[in-house]
Amino acid sequence: MTPLEWTIIVAAISVSAGLLGSLAGVGGGIIVVPALTLLMGVDIRHAIAASIVAVVATSSAAASTYVRERMTNIRLGMLLETATALGAICGALAAGLLSSKLLYILFGVILCYNAWHMSHKREDGQHTIPPDPFADKLSLHASYYDRSLKRELSYRVSRTKLGLLVSWIAGLVSGLLGVGGGIFKVPLMHLAMGVPIKAATATSNFMIGITASTGAAIYFMRGDVKPFIAAPVAIGVIAGSKIGARLLGGMKLNAVRMAFVVVMAVAAVQMLYKGLFR
Amino acid sequence: MNDRHSELSTELVISEILRWGVRCSLFLIVLGSVLCFVRGVDYGSSGGTADDLYSLINGEGSFPHSLAWLANGLLHLQGAAIIVAGLGLLISTPLMRVSASIAAFTLHKDRAFALISVIVFTLVILSFAIGAA
């Protein structure tokens, strides 16, 4: 394989990573890392550095569309980011104190549970959502025009304090294990906080960019972001995210939910594998 | 507290910053990659060989560790330096959008969310300082 062929193949794989990552709100690292290490001969350190750049790229490229279509709940995203960023710092400081094998198994099991729960969830209105004065005060409730339902979909945000706690844990995990927190934030917002699935993935997508950019900056300063590897990844991921961002608005709610269930299942398998066999 | 109009303009500012941050960095990364291939000194002549590929992926070589390298490379329009500048811009785009939201929320006298944005900004800088140390 020549460098030119390698670049083209990596860019093509990255398009699919950006597409899936932007639709699911998780960034696409779960495709980039295995593809680069298992197929393209890159060592794990440079693959992780490239994948975290890919997460920043997915987030920023898709977010400009999602924010414009009002699918992103900026206020909710900003609020939860405080907890995630704090968690990431705690995680970085606590790294090495906890067994990462055990954490991988624990969170792999949690993901399996979330995937099962989400695959049974129906968009059945919000009658089960308790009122939340804290969310009222910060005016977190929002609405967006859903192109598949052809109507304005308004929703009330609930369980904000639980949301802050889980976001803190998601940040902690991403600091400890180096995995993106998006995989936990989407089920949190959708299943617990009453946010419709598209708004949940769009808001998660918005949030992960800021956490990932910190990680990416650290790798960048260390010199782990190789231009030859990161360039095709970034180009492909940006193209894929733009396509994904155009598609999400018009997709059926159940299709988005099922796509996310698949992503969660893949991530759960990866985590359990790392916990049990490495 | 915040009417629909001010909310929309905050969204617009954030959306535009992300859009142009991504556009500019994409332009630089594509330009840098094309220059690397066209010149043939960075990635090997006429698309390179399997040996070039091996050293590009596994070699420790060419990566920037200094600003001087970057500045010099940009001055001489070296592909790798342009890619690095593009990647740097891409990585800093989310922080620019947080800065913009501080300004936008302050302008709309939304104190709670201006404060929340400041907290996010501070925590991000802090975690970068911890990670880089």
Side-chain angles (χ1 to χ4, degrees):
Chain A
M1 206 186 297
T2 69
L4 184 61
E5 289 162 359
W6 191 92
T7 297
I8 292 168
I9 294 171
V10 169
I13 294 172
S14 303
V15 171
S16 64
L19 187 66
L20 197 63
S22 60
L23 286 179
V26 297
I30 56 169
I31 291 183
V32 171
V33 173
L36 285 180
T37 53
L38 301 177
L39 301 175
M40 307 308 291
V42 176
D43 69 294
I44 185 77
R45 187 166 58 109
H46 294 116
I48 288 176
S51 95
I52 200 155
V53 171
V55 176
V56 180
T58 312
S59 171
S60 301
S64 61
T65 305
Y66 293 157
V67 168
R68 192 170 287 260
E69 291 195 18
R70 295 189 293 116
M71 276 194 283
T72 308
N73 188 331
I74 293 183
R75 302 172 76 82
L76 177 61
M78 295 292 299
L79 179 67
L80 297 183
E81 270 169 22
T82 58
T84 312
L86 191 64
I89 292 178
C90 297
L93 293 176
L97 293 180
L98 292 158
S99 151
S100 58
K101 263 180 178 294
L102 207 64
L103 286 170
Y104 276 123
I105 296 172
L106 177 66
F107 287 105
V109 171
I110 291 175
L111 274 184
C112 289
Y113 172 76
N114 275 340
W116 181 82
H117 197 44
M118 193 177 272
S119 66
H120 287 72
K121 161 106 178 165
R122 294 287 169 267
E123 205 82 23
D124 53 354
Q126 292 197 301
H127 51 83
T128 53
I129 294 296
D132 182 354
F134 192 53
D136 299 342
K137 206 174 164 193
L138 291 172
S139 48
L140 298 179
H141 315 302
S143 68
Y144 73 95
Y145 181 78
D146 193 287
R147 296 210 311 263
S148 74
L149 297 175
K150 295 191 174 58
R151 66 176 169 87
E152 188 80 8
L153 190 61
S154 61
Y155 56 94
R156 298 185 69 76
V157 173
S158 182
R159 302 193 183 97
T160 311
K161 283 172 186 155
L162 174 73
L164 284 169
L165 178 68
V166 176
S167 297
W168 181 78
I169 295 171
L172 189 71
V173 177
S174 62
L176 282 170
L177 301 182
V179 296
I183 204 95
F184 301 108
K185 286 169 196 154
V186 175
L188 165 73
M189 285 186 272
H190 183 52
L191 299 175
M193 302 181 74
V195 179
I197 184 71
K198 288 185 194 174
T201 63
T203 305
S204 166
N205 174 78
F206 181 73
M207 291 168 65
I208 54 176
I210 192 72
T211 322
S213 76
T214 314
I218 292 166
Y219 282 107
F220 193 73
M221 301 299 276
R222 281 189 203 151
D224 286 345
V225 180
K226 281 194 172 186
F228 176 72
I229 297 167
V233 169
I235 294 170
V237 158
I238 290 172
S241 308
K242 284 285 174 197
I243 301 169
R246 295 257 164 87
L247 289 179
L248 182 67
M251 277 174 74
K252 292 253 187 298
L253 299 175
N254 269 323
V256 180
R257 209 167 7 246
M258 282 307 143
F260 192 79
V261 168
V262 171
V263 170
M264 272 201 286
V266 172
V269 169
Q270 286 181 3
M271 281 200 186
L272 289 174
Y273 176 81
K274 281 183 196 159
L276 294 170
F277 302 111
R278 284 243 190 110
Chain B
M1 187 172 160
N2 52 89
D3 55 299
R4 196 65 233 165
H5 179 73
S6 68
E7 188 77 348
L8 275 180
S9 71
T10 306
E11 288 175 356
L12 203 65
V13 168
I14 289 175
S15 169
E16 286 302 306
I17 286 188
L18 292 169
R19 178 186 305 256
W20 284 100
V22 170
R23 270 186 195 170
C24 296
S25 44
L26 182 64
F27 173 76
L28 290 173
I29 296 168
V30 171
L31 176 72
S33 301
V34 169
L35 282 175
C36 280
F37 279 112
V38 169
R39 290 217 174 132
V41 282
D42 305 276
Y43 293 174
S45 55
S46 59
T49 63
D51 288 340
D52 290 329
L53 178 65
Y54 183 84
S55 65
L56 279 167
I57 297 177
N58 298 300
E60 283 302 320
S62 82
F63 192 74
H65 288 285
S66 71
L67 275 174
W69 175 91
L70 185 62
N72 185 50
L74 287 176
L75 271 178
H76 294 91
L77 284 180
Q78 278 170 5
I82 297 173
I83 294 175
V84 167
L87 292 171
L89 181 63
L90 186 66
I91 291 169
S92 52
T93 301
L95 199 61
M96 288 194 274
R97 106 30 208 165
V98 177
S99 320
S101 67
I102 296 176
F105 285 125
T106 308
L107 214 64
H108 295 129
K109 301 199 166 46
D110 189 339
R111 285 203 192 149
F113 273 86
L115 180 66
I116 285 170
S117 307
V118 170
I119 292 173
V120 172
F121 189 86
T122 314
L123 289 174
V124 166
I125 298 293
L126 190 65
S127 68
F128 175 69
I130 292 170

